[in-house]
Amino acid sequence: MTTMTRSRDYYESMADSFAIEEMAPYPPNQEILSRLKDNDPELVELWLFDIRYGPKDADSYCFKDDDAGDLGWLGYFIRKNTQLKNLRVCCEITEAEESLCKEMAGNQSIRKIELCGTQGSLILELLVPFFQRKESPIHLCKRPSDFYGAQDFPRLLKAMYCCGKSLTGLGLEMLCNAKKYWLDDILGALKAHNLQLEEFRLRSMEIGLTECRKLRALISGSDSCLLKLDLRYNCLDDECISVLAGALRNTN
């Protein structure tokens, strides 16, 4: 994999000089780049997968492996594309992929970014330029990972800060071991930066009475825009339900 970071001018100036085969040695990646370049209306969801774990016969994924080439080209074509709506990252992202994140920052069609698997949380920091430049609403989802510790939350919060009012959805799953670190900080960030979520997903997070009481303020605020609170796979007792139900009665 090419590890150098190139400027946007490089990809713009060289796009017509390089064949797709030179940009991505792996044939399935070549197909994805071609479809992105051609603005294929059927390519609305893109998965970035580690080839060791991703499906081998899918035609709507871009696999990442040791022969992925310069991922800046992938970012370049994502930036130029206007059909892509969902981006799912299921591979490790390091400083070597900074050019990918910088290039895709200019995309205006993506509405949802889902981070899953065991990729490093550096992706949150590298995606900050994307959030800063995004003009349309975005939904950010962090799914199960065995690589999620307290050190990840400053990056998550930084990404949220940079989203401003463009962040309409946030989803977190199976991060129960880090629960005590994040809820106050995330709710504080939502309030401090006036982030008006329409959807908040907290699945398998061991949400209990203390967390429900904290969530009550998010639900019952007079300016709340929350339309969906997903607490599936948490063991909520009657008192938890009562707290949340009372908050719903007091909201618009």
Side-chain angles (χ1 to χ4, degrees), residues 168 196-200 218-219 224-230 248 251-252:
T168 58
Q196 299 294 322
L197 293 185
E198 296 177 2
E199 180 177 349
F200 197 13
L218 176 66
I219 299 172
S224 175
C225 296
L226 195 67
L227 300 176
K228 183 178 181 180
L229 177 63
D230 186 346
L248 290 173
T251 187
N252 295 324

Side-chain angles (χ1 to χ4, degrees), residues 2 18 20 47 79 82 106 108 116 131 151 158 193 195 211 218 225:
T2 301
F18 277 75
I20 292 293
W47 290 33
R79 173 168 66 87
T82 60
Q108 291 298 322
C116 52
F131 294 132
Q151 72 275 11
K158 183 177 180 181
H193 296 270
L195 297 173
E211 289 74 35
L218 176 66
C225 296

